[in-house]
Amino acid sequence: MFSRAFEELRRSTGFRLALTFSAFFVLGTLFLFGFAYVLLDLSLRARDHDGIDSRLQQLAAQYRATDLTGLRKALSLETRLRKSKPYFIRIAGSGNALVFMEIPDQWANFDLKGLEYAPLAGPGPFVRLPASDDAAILEIASQRLPDGSILQVGKSTEERDDILDLFAWIVAGVAVPVVILGFLGGALLARRALRPIHELIATVRAIDAGATASRVPVRNTGDELDELGKLFNAMLDRIAGLITNMRGALDNVAHELRTPLARIRGTAEIVLQSDQKSGPALEALSDCIEESDHLLALLNALMDISEAQAGTLPLTFAPVDVSVLLKDAVDLYRHVADEKALSIAIEAPEEIWLIADRGRLRQVVANLLDNAIKYTPSGGRILLKASRRDSKVAICVSDGGRGMTAEDLSKIWDRLYRGEGSRKERGMGLGLSLVKAIVEAHKGHVVAMSDLGKGSTFEVILPASSAKNGMGP
C-alpha cells in the first residue's frame, strides 16, 4: 500500500516539479560551496607562499650582511622575543651538507633526511616534504647564497589544512539544512505553481459530481494559467447555456407532445365508453390508446435518461433491502413468466441493504427481468442473484436465451438500439439505456456478459450499506 502511494506521488507533476527545483537549488548551492572552498584554498596557499618568499628574502639579506654568525644571533633573538611566526630554516653547503637548521618542535614528525639526498634546488617551484603520518606537508622554497650555499625556508600546511577542514565541516553542517530548505522550497513553489491546475481539477470533479454551477477561481494575475481559467469558465458558461437551451427545448417538445397525446387518449376513452361502438371503430380506438401509451412511455424514458446523464435526475435515497426488492419484481412478472412456462429463481441473503432510490432501483430490476423474460424461450430458467462484495452489492440477472453477438454487446447501451434478433419483440430500445443511466446516477456500474446460444447475464454493482438506517458501508 505504501509503495502504491509512493508510486502515485512519484508520478504526480507537483512531485517532479518540486524534485527538479530542489535538485537545481541543492546542486547550485553545493557548487557555490565548492567554488568557495577552492578560492579559500588558493587564497591560503598564496598567503603561505608569499610569507615563505618574504621570509626567504629577509634571511638571505641578513646572511649577506652578517654571515652565518649574525644570522644565528638574529634568529635566537627573534625566538626569545617571539616576534615572527615559526618557519623551517636550513642552510646547506657544498654537496648539500647540512650547515644550519632550525625547525619548530611541533614539526618534528617531518622526515628531513630526504633533503640531504635531494638535488640542490634553486629558485622555482616549492619542494613538498610530507610528514611521516601524512597529516601535513612542509613546503620549502630555496635560494642560492653568494658563497654557494643554499638557503631553504619552509612552512607546514597544517594551519592551512585546519582552516580548510573547518570550512568543510561547516559546509557539511550547512548542507543538511540546505537540502531540507531546497525540498521545502521546491514543494512550496510547486504547490503555488500548480494551484490553478488543482483548482481546475477540483472544478471538473465538482461538475462531474453534479455541481454544474462550479467555476474555476480566477485570481486576475494575467498569467497563462489565469487565462486558462477564464477560458475554461467561459467554455463552461457556454456549455451550460447550450444545455439549458436543449433542456428547455426538450421540455417544450415533451410538453407539446404530451398534451395532444393525452387528448387523443382521452377522446378515445370517451368514445369507447359511449354507446356508439362498432367493431372497426373499437379496434381503431384501442390501437390509438395503445400507441399513445407507447409514445408517452417513450417520452418519459427519454426524459429520465437525459436527466440521469445530466446529473439532474431526482433521487430519493433511503435504505433498500435488495432481497425484498427482487421478490417484488418476481411477483410483478410472475404472470408473464407463467404464460411462457418460465421458472424464476432468486438467490439472495435474507437481508442485504444498500442506499438507493427504491423506485428507480425497482425500475432497473424490472427492466432487466422483463428483458430476460422477453428473450428466454418457453420452458427456460431465469436467475436473480444478489450478493455482497466488500463495500459493494452485486445484482445479477441471468437468462437462458439466445445470447448476443460481440457487436450487439458493444451497442446494447445505445438509445433506441435493437439487435437483429430482438426486432421481432415488442419494445422501444430504451430499457438498457435507462438501466445504465439510473445505475450510474447511483455511482454504480452495469456490465453485460453473453454467450451466443447460451444466454446473457447482466450485473449491476452498487455501493452497499450494512445497516437499515443506511449508516456505514
Side-chain angles (χ1 to χ4, degrees), residues 206-213 243-244 247 250 302-314 415 437 440-441:
I207 293 174
D208 184 62
T212 56
I243 291 176
T244 301
R247 188 176 298 162
L250 184 59
L302 285 172
M303 291 289 290
D304 288 343
I305 293 173
S306 298
E307 289 179 350
Q309 291 178 342
T312 58
L313 182 67
R415 299 184 191 183
E440 290 180 349

Side-chain angles (χ1 to χ4, degrees), residues 205-259:
R205 287 178 175 171
I207 293 174
D208 184 62
T212 56
S214 299
R215 293 295 182 269
V216 179
V218 178
R219 298 172 296 169
N220 294 319
T221 58
D223 57 12
E224 294 84 353
L225 293 176
D226 193 62
E227 183 67 20
L228 176 62
K230 292 179 180 179
L231 291 175
F232 189 78
N233 287 340
M235 180 186 69
L236 290 178
D237 292 337
R238 182 173 178 81
I239 292 175
L242 292 174
I243 291 176
T244 301
N245 293 335
M246 291 175 63
R247 188 176 298 162
L250 184 59
D251 290 341
N252 292 334
V253 169
H255 177 73
E256 293 298 330
L257 286 176
R258 280 174 177 157
T259 301

Side-chain angles (χ1 to χ4, degrees), residues 340 370-377 399-403 418 421-423 425-426:
K340 294 184 67 174
D370 178 74
N371 198 66
I373 292 174
K374 189 181 298 181
Y375 297 109
T376 300
D399 62 61
R402 66 173 67 95
R418 303 187 70 190
S422 63
R423 293 181 181 176
E425 299 289 343
R426 183 171 180 81

Side-chain angles (χ1 to χ4, degrees), residues 358-432:
R358 180 179 178 82
R360 292 297 183 182
L361 190 57
R362 181 172 55 190
Q363 194 174 5
V364 168
V365 177
N367 280 356
L368 293 177
L369 183 56
D370 178 74
N371 198 66
I373 292 174
K374 189 181 298 181
Y375 297 109
T376 300
S378 298
R381 183 175 182 270
I382 297 173
L383 174 63
L384 278 70
K385 185 177 180 180
S387 60
R388 287 188 65 103
R389 298 179 183 174
D390 296 330
S391 60
K392 306 288 184 181
V393 169
I395 302 174
C396 298
V397 179
S398 303
D399 62 61
R402 66 173 67 95
M404 292 178 284
T405 64
E407 181 181 1
D408 287 337
L409 277 175
S410 64
K411 297 179 180 179
I412 56 174
W413 308 111
D414 297 341
R415 299 184 191 183
L416 304 176
Y417 175 77
R418 303 187 70 190
E420 290 293 335
S422 63
R423 293 181 181 176
K424 296 180 181 179
E425 299 289 343
R426 183 171 180 81
M428 298 179 293
L430 292 175
L432 293 180

Side-chain angles (χ1 to χ4, degrees), residues 74 120 127 152 158 206 292 304 339 352 354-355 382 425:
L120 294 176
V127 176
Q152 294 179 318
E158 183 177 359
S292 297
D304 288 343
E339 288 183 350
I352 178 168
L354 55 77
I355 302 298
I382 297 173
E425 299 289 343

